[in-house]
Amino acid sequence: MKPNKPSQAPVLEVLRKAGALHSRQRALLFLLRSVVWLVIAIPLLMLADVLFHFSEIPRLGGVIGMALAFLAVLIVAAFTALFARPPLLRIARLLESRNPELGSKLVNILQLDADARLGQAAPMTRALAHRAVEDAGKSLDLAALPPLARESRIPRRAWQALAATVTLGLLSLIGGRHVRQEWLRFLDPFGDHPPFSLTYLEILKPTANDKALYGGFFTVEARASGHQPKDLFLTATPVDGSLPPITLPMFARGDGTFLAQLENVRSPLELTAHTGDDASRSHRRRLELILTPQIGAVSVRVSPPAYTGQPARELPYRFTALQVLEGSQVGFRINSNRPLGNGEIQFESSEKTASVVPLGPAPEGPADTAIADFTAERSGRMTFFLIDADGNRAAESPVSSLTVTIDLPPAIAITVPDQDALIVEDLALPVIVDATDDYGLHSVRLHIGINDKYQPLVPATFEAPGTRRHRLEHTLDLAKLGARPGDRITLFAEAVDTRPDPQITRTGARRMEVITEKDYNERLREKTDVAMIAGKYEDLLNRFEQQIEEQKHISEELAALREMATADPDNSQILDRFSEAFSEQTHLNYRLEQTAREMEEFGRDHPVYDFEKELHAKLKEQADTIRKSVEQNKADCGQAIEQGAPPPATPTPDMINGLTKAAGEQLERLQGEKKKADKEVRQPLQDLAQLHELMKDFSRFQQLAEEQRELAEQSKAYQDKPGLNAEDRLAMRDMGARQRDLARKLEQLDKKLRHDAEAADGKFPEAASSARRLADQMDAAGMPGLARKAAQSMLDSKADDAQAQAQNLHEEMDRLFDDTVQAGQQGVAAGLDRALQLYRKMNPGDSLRQMMLSRNFRPLPGEGSSGAGAAGLMANSAMDANARLLGGESLMDGPIADSISGRGDQGGSGMPGSPTAHIDRPDQANIEQQSARRTGTPDSGTLLLEYENIADAYFRRLTTKP
């Protein structure tokens, strides 16, 4: 039978309770002590981050380490409090040490309890030991034993832990952004929390609302406060990771801000500003993109049809109106900032339904360039829709217009002769045909017919395209063609262009009639006068006088050079000035020889007036004298040059003297010839021109008498009518206007007779006296008054009075013509004979009759036009009243004509360098032919001016019915 197990003594239970309390106290004390160390570790860890700028992983490790340490403390404290129990002997000694009154009672009780549990002892012994334990426990205050196990250090440790925690919290609150930044760096190690730095960096731009254009650029702005860095950099990291980060230097602006420009931004970026050693870094700033495609540079390539021969041209395009030739290949090229997808060009035309032209990138690229090609066949409006690869449409849809033009027919004109004409037999007439076309001529043909029989001519043909202008020149030699007076010559030309469907243009016919030189002169004499004939002589003599002035200048220059050489023989300018003077003399001699040749060949064999033959003979004598003078000067100059060494040696005084003498002698000879020319050519022409004016005054009176006779006869038609109807009164008013105009002409003639008589009084007294007599008798008869009186009656429709007054004026003018005008013409004839035979010893021939044919009535100086005037440039013809005279005569107004017309030196048309009016010299005509048609067809697709669109739209608006 087993012995009964002894029951536990109360003292042992109390010791166990005290051990449990001691373990809990130890756990709490460990926890409080650990909290202090953990709180101290946190700022130490942050300080280490401030010093070493830990990356994300070390900071994450620090956070995890601190969390694990705190967890380990909690686990150890919990295990200690719940499971760890110290031995009862240790507790007994702890209690005895804390309460001296206990002595060793507790240890003894534990010893007795141990003995009671020994298995070798007798049962009696174990029972006695057990009883002793119980009795000892009863002698103790068991309730006071467990409190002795409490730790007295716990309150102090608690205060320490609390103080450390509060201190850390206060430091975090009052430590500013740097402390808060450190907390964030550890609490959120992978967040955007820059490390501590005395340099605070901040990205100002982009802001949250800023976005960069895809493919464009963006300027990043950052600011540094605190310690200013030397250098600052910007790191841009693509958010999608498509490219590695790039780092750019930032440039300081001087106000604490820095700039950096990002180019070709093609993905969202994360931006960070930092110093070169990464000790200072800003918060990251995200830059988003605008993905809407933008329209960049645009160009258009226009390739005209091959038949035009024009190269393709590529031009910048700004969506303005485009104008191209029909059949041209048009290609648009639109650049964008985005990879493009399939867009389109909508083409709208009034003739057909809208069509669509694809607008997208080529398969071979580039992806950000859209192209569209089509053939221009009709005009219309184009709308451009640009779409990127993601389906985003461009914000704008530009609209422009396309104008398709057609190839117009060629333009061709016969520019010489420029109108129908009467042409002198045996004349070699130049014929000039000018043809133009928009894009090219294929052929130009000239047809020449004589009496409706056309001559075979080889056409001008152009195989290669691109000949847009051609001048066909042909000499119409009447002698070789066998043309005779009375023959009719017809000219017309044709031009064909290079269009596949050719177009032909034909000129109108130019008709000419061959006349004799005699007939030509007779017609020309009606339209000209001596003053106009004198112009060509004056032009020649004026050019000769200009050359004399040049000879005078050379002579003076050589004389000055001679004085310079005498004063300073070593002057470096002597050689240059001598060479220049010698060169001028050589050139002048050449021009003098040309003038001599022109004098020798001057004029026609059958001139307008017979007295010109004598003038031609004088000019030939002048030409021979000038030629001999030039030869003499050349010989003298050559002899002078031979007296010294050739250049670059300085000319000797003998050379300068010789050349000066030669120039002076030639000047004297030329001046002598000038005086002779003035006496034998210029002065006779001046006298004859003045006399001719008097002669034309009498002819003018005769012409006015014929006009008055016609008015008197026409007024008879209304004389006997009992009453005038509306048409009759209208006819009377028209005759009244003509009668009033004749009164004005009579007044002008009266003044001109007196003016010309005064001018010719000294040299032609008989003619001047006859002119005054005619003017006096016109005044005595009151002819202008009679004409005005008749005009008023006509305007008042008084037919009887008007006819009587007109007839009266006609009879008075006839009486004066019979008595005075014929006598005046005889006086003019006497003056002409004296001027040509006695004064100038010239053979008059038939000059009087020839001069009397003139109807070129010049007005009185200061008055308006009168008589034929400028109509002398044209001649009447049986074939055409507007036919032109072509015979090679040159007519112009020179100083003589200017003085007669009261212009003095103002006209100057006959002075050297002035334009020459070769009125019947077709080779002098203006033969620059420009196409008169308006074609807007550009050269291989030029841009049409915008205002043309406005004008065209406005025109359509005005011409379209509402």
Side-chain angles (χ1 to χ4, degrees):
M1 176 176 176
K2 265 183 168 182
N4 294 330
K5 184 179 179 181
S7 60
Q8 297 290 337
V11 67
L12 296 177
E13 290 296 331
V14 171
L15 289 175
R16 288 188 182 92
K17 290 180 181 180
L21 178 60
H22 180 65
S23 295
R24 290 194 295 273
Q25 292 287 302
R26 286 178 58 198
L28 180 58
L29 186 63
F30 173 76
L31 179 61
L32 294 174
R33 188 168 54 247
S34 298
V35 167
V36 173
W37 288 109
L38 288 174
V39 169
I40 294 173
I42 289 174
L44 292 177
L45 185 60
M46 291 182 178
L47 181 60
D49 180 59
V50 169
L51 296 176
F52 302 106
H53 291 177
F54 295 144
S55 62
E56 292 86 351
I57 300 301
R59 282 185 278 121
L60 179 61
V63 172
I64 293 175
M66 291 293 294
L68 290 176
F70 185 70
L71 181 61
V73 168
L74 290 177
I75 292 173
V76 170
F79 181 80
T80 301
L82 297 176
F83 301 105
R85 295 293 183 265
L88 294 180
L89 181 59
R90 184 184 300 173
I91 294 299
R93 289 175 179 171
L94 176 64
L95 296 178
E96 290 174 348
S97 65
R98 292 182 176 178
N99 188 358
E101 294 180 355
L102 293 176
S104 59
K105 292 180 180 180
L106 296 178
V107 174
N108 293 333
I109 291 173
L110 291 176
Q111 186 64 41
L112 289 174
D113 183 68
D115 292 340
R117 295 178 185 276
L118 290 176
Q120 295 87 359
M124 182 60 71
T125 303
R126 291 198 298 271
L128 291 173
H130 181 68
R131 183 175 292 277
V133 171
E134 290 180 351
D135 291 338
K138 291 178 180 179
S139 62
L140 297 173
D141 186 4
L142 297 178
L145 292 179
L148 294 176
R150 293 181 180 276
E151 288 287 345
S152 61
R153 295 175 295 174
I154 287 179
R156 182 168 59 85
R157 294 293 184 185
W159 281 108
Q160 290 177 351
L162 179 60
T165 304
V166 171
T167 301
L168 182 61
L170 290 175
L171 290 176
S172 299
L173 291 175
I174 66 177
R177 60 181 175 85
H178 296 297
V179 176
R180 292 192 296 272
Q181 187 73 12
E182 285 298 324
W183 275 107
L184 293 173
R185 281 176 61 81
F186 284 96
L187 295 178
D188 182 17
F190 291 97
D192 181 21
H193 310 297
F196 170 81
S197 175
L198 296 177
T199 300
Y200 179 68
L201 301 178
E202 179 185 9
I203 294 179
L204 303 177
K205 190 179 179 182
T207 63
N209 297 325
D210 289 333
K211 292 184 179 181
L213 188 64
Y214 183 93
F217 66 90
F218 192 88
T219 301
V220 179
E221 182 178 351
R223 179 172 59 196
S225 56
H227 182 269
Q228 290 295 312
K230 278 187 179 180
D231 300 310
L232 199 62
F233 297 88
L234 177 70
T235 296
T237 304
V239 175
D240 56 7
S242 58
L243 294 172
I246 59 172
T247 300
L248 302 172
M250 301 191 77
F251 302 96
R253 286 202 302 193
D255 57 353
T257 58
F258 295 81
L259 299 177
Q261 184 165 294
L262 298 172
E263 303 285 348
N264 195 21
V265 182
R266 291 184 176 269
S267 64
L269 298 176
E270 194 174 70
L271 307 175
T272 306
H274 58 87
T275 56
D277 56 0
D278 287 328
S280 301
R281 182 173 64 83
S282 70
H283 287 283
R284 292 189 291 269
R285 187 65 58 85
R286 184 156 177 156
L287 178 63
E288 298 292 343
L289 294 181
I290 300 174
L291 299 180
T292 303
Q294 306 294 313
I295 295 178
V298 183
S299 63
V300 59
R301 181 180 178 85
V302 180
S303 301
Y307 78 86
T308 64
Q310 294 185 1
R313 292 183 61 191
E314 188 166 350
L315 303 168
Y317 187 58
R318 296 178 178 84
F319 298 104
T320 54
L322 181 65
Q323 185 170 332
V324 299
L325 177 64
E326 182 182 20
S328 297
Q329 194 70 22
V330 181
F332 291 102
R333 186 180 185 88
I334 304 178
N335 294 319
S336 180
N337 62 326
R338 293 275 296 155
L340 298 175
N342 295 323
E344 62 184 25
I345 300 177
Q346 290 186 1
F347 188 83
E348 299 174 295
S349 174
S350 59
E351 300 176 359
K352 297 182 180 180
T353 58
S355 58
V356 174
V357 179
L359 178 64
E364 64 275 9
D368 59 354
T369 301
I371 60 175
D373 292 287
F374 61 92
T375 301
E377 297 177 348
R378 65 185 188 277
S379 301
R381 186 179 68 173
M382 299 178 292
T383 306
F384 296 78
F385 296 97
L386 195 67
I387 303 175
D388 68 3
D390 295 335
N392 299 316
R393 283 182 175 267
E396 54 179 336
S397 299
V399 177
S400 67
S401 63
L402 175 68
T403 302
V404 177
T405 61
I406 62 173
D407 185 353
L408 297 176
I412 186 169
I414 299 176
T415 52
V416 176
D418 58 351
Q419 57 182 301
D420 292 348
L422 298 172
I423 182 170
V424 177
E425 58 180 336
D426 298 334
L427 181 68
L429 175 68
V431 178
I432 299 178
V433 177
D434 281 316
T436 61
D437 187 68
D438 316 59
Y439 294 97
L441 295 166
H442 177 264
S443 64
V444 178
R445 296 189 298 176
L446 173 65
H447 300 273
I448 301 177
I450 300 179
N451 296 327
D452 298 331
K453 293 183 179 180
Y454 284 87
Q455 309 294 318
L457 292 178
V458 178
T461 305
F462 315 101
E463 298 299 334
T467 303
R468 299 162 66 178
R469 181 183 296 274
H470 179 72
R471 170 168 290 169
L472 190 152
E473 299 182 359
H474 178 77
T475 300
L476 187 63
D477 194 331
L478 300 184
K480 291 183 178 180
L481 292 175
R484 295 290 180 265
D487 289 347
R488 298 183 306 277
I489 299 176
T490 305
L491 307 175
F492 71 92
E494 298 171 336
V496 180
D497 65 4
T498 57
R499 201 176 71 162
D501 183 11
Q503 303 177 105
I504 186 170
T505 301
R506 184 177 295 106
T507 68
R510 186 80 73 240
R511 297 177 178 85
M512 292 176 290
E513 181 179 334
V514 182
I515 61 176
T516 63
E517 189 166 17
K518 180 181 179 181
D519 192 15
Y520 166 76
N521 282 340
E522 290 295 316
R523 292 173 181 271
L524 193 60
R525 289 162 188 154
E526 294 180 5
K527 308 302 179 182
T528 187
D529 57 17
V530 173
M532 293 182 67
I533 292 295
K536 61 182 179 180
Y537 293 90
E538 291 177 292
D539 179 66
L540 177 63
L541 295 179
N542 286 334
R543 284 185 279 119
F544 177 54
E545 291 174 4
Q546 185 181 32
Q547 293 166 357
I548 294 175
E549 288 299 319
E550 293 180 20
Q551 183 65 62
K552 181 179 180 182
H553 170 73
I554 294 173
S555 180
E556 293 174 350
E557 178 68 17
L558 288 171
L561 187 62
R562 180 174 56 188
E563 294 179 1
M564 179 187 295
T566 303
D568 186 8
D570 298 328
N571 194 321
S572 60
Q573 297 182 0
I574 293 177
L575 178 59
D576 294 337
R577 294 180 62 177
F578 181 82
S579 300
E580 183 177 357
F582 184 78
S583 176
E584 290 178 357
Q585 183 66 68
T586 302
H587 284 66
L588 177 59
N589 286 339
Y590 173 74
R591 293 197 302 275
L592 285 169
E593 288 177 337
Q594 288 183 318
T595 301
R597 188 179 306 110
E598 187 175 355
M599 287 182 175
E600 191 172 31
E601 299 173 356
F602 193 80
R604 298 185 293 121
D605 293 338
H606 302 283
V608 177
Y609 300 114
D610 288 348
F611 65 78
E612 289 188 74
K613 297 177 182 179
E614 301 290 337
L615 298 178
H616 296 170
K618 300 295 183 182
L619 288 176
K620 288 181 181 180
E621 294 176 5
Q622 292 274 331
D624 185 60
T625 305
I626 293 172
R627 190 179 293 108
K628 290 179 180 180
S629 176
V630 170
E631 292 175 357
Q632 181 64 43
N633 180 263
K634 289 181 179 179
D636 293 342
C637 290
Q639 184 178 0
I641 294 298
E642 292 176 357
Q643 297 179 10
T650 303
T652 64
D654 292 338
M655 293 174 59
I656 298 176
N657 290 333
L659 205 62
T660 304
K661 181 180 178 182
E665 291 176 352
Q666 173 145 293
L667 176 61
E668 292 179 1
R669 292 193 296 268
L670 294 179
Q671 287 177 338
E673 290 304 313
K674 173 185 176 299
K675 294 179 181 178
K676 184 178 178 181
D678 288 341
K679 180 180 179 181
E680 296 181 348
V681 178
R682 191 189 299 271
Q683 189 62 46
L685 286 171
Q686 186 173 356
D687 294 345
L688 292 172
Q690 189 62 56
L691 184 63
H692 200 185
E693 281 302 303
L694 279 173
M695 186 182 300
K696 291 189 296 180
D697 291 343
F698 292 104
S699 298
R700 179 63 166 164
F701 183 84
Q702 182 179 1
Q703 183 188 50
L704 295 179
E706 289 295 322
E707 293 182 16
Q708 184 60 41
R709 181 187 61 79
E710 184 176 355
L711 282 172
E713 290 179 353
Q714 291 177 354
S715 63
K716 291 180 180 179
Y718 309 95
Q719 179 181 8
D720 299 328
K721 285 190 176 183
L724 300 180
N725 56 28
E727 294 179 354
D728 295 336
R729 289 193 293 273
L730 178 63
M732 290 295 293
R733 285 196 296 271
D734 177 70
M735 285 191 294
R738 291 165 55 194
Q739 184 69 73
R740 186 167 52 189
D741 183 60
L742 191 140
R744 179 183 60 83
K745 293 177 181 178
L746 286 171
E747 285 184 341
Q748 290 178 346
L749 179 59
D750 179 85
K751 295 178 182 179
K752 194 167 187 306
L753 282 166
R754 299 184 186 280
H755 174 272
D756 294 340
E758 183 179 356
D761 199 15
K763 296 182 180 179
F764 308 105
E766 298 92 342
S769 176
S770 299
R772 289 195 189 92
R773 189 180 308 113
L774 176 60
D776 292 340
Q777 293 186 11
M778 288 174 60
D779 287 344
M783 289 186 179
L786 294 176
R788 289 193 184 90
K789 187 176 180 181
Q792 189 61 46
S793 297
M794 292 176 182
L795 293 173
D796 293 339
S797 299
K798 298 178 179 179
D800 293 339
D801 295 341
Q803 201 284 326
Q805 293 161 357
Q807 183 65 31
N808 181 33
L809 177 59
H810 165 58
E811 292 174 354
E812 287 292 330
M813 295 182 74
D814 277 350
R815 180 181 60 78
L816 286 184
F817 178 78
D818 292 338
D819 299 338
T820 307
V821 174
Q822 292 181 1
Q825 291 177 345
Q826 293 175 1
V828 170
L832 178 63
D833 290 339
R834 185 159 35 252
L836 293 178
Q837 294 180 354
L838 301 180
Y839 296 166
R840 309 301 175 193
K841 298 181 180 179
M842 298 170 64
N843 181 18
D846 198 22
S847 297
L848 177 62
R849 185 193 64 83
Q850 295 165 353
M851 292 169 65
M852 291 181 65
L853 294 176
S854 176
R855 292 296 181 268
N856 183 31
F857 302 121
R858 296 178 182 270
L860 187 69
E863 300 283 349
S865 61
S866 174
L873 303 185
M874 308 300 298
N876 294 329
S877 164
M879 53 174 288
D880 188 349
N882 293 322
R884 183 176 179 177
L885 286 173
L886 297 178
E889 184 62 58
S890 298
L891 305 174
M892 69 184 73
D893 281 350
I896 294 176
D898 292 338
S899 63
I900 291 175
S901 300
R903 294 191 296 265
D905 294 334
Q906 300 296 321
S909 60
M911 297 302 291
S914 63
T916 303
H918 295 280
I919 66 166
D920 66 346
R921 296 280 297 277
D923 55 323
Q924 300 293 331
N926 179 17
I927 56 176
E928 289 299 325
Q929 170 69 13
Q930 299 291 338
S931 176
R933 58 188 177 153
R934 179 183 182 273
T935 172
T937 308
D939 292 341
S940 64
T942 54
L943 298 178
L944 184 65
L945 297 177
E946 293 185 8
Y947 75 84
E948 290 190 344
N949 290 332
I950 300 174
D952 292 342
Y954 184 70
F955 179 78
R956 288 195 299 270
R957 180 68 181 87
L958 293 178
T959 56
T960 303
K961 293 183 179 180

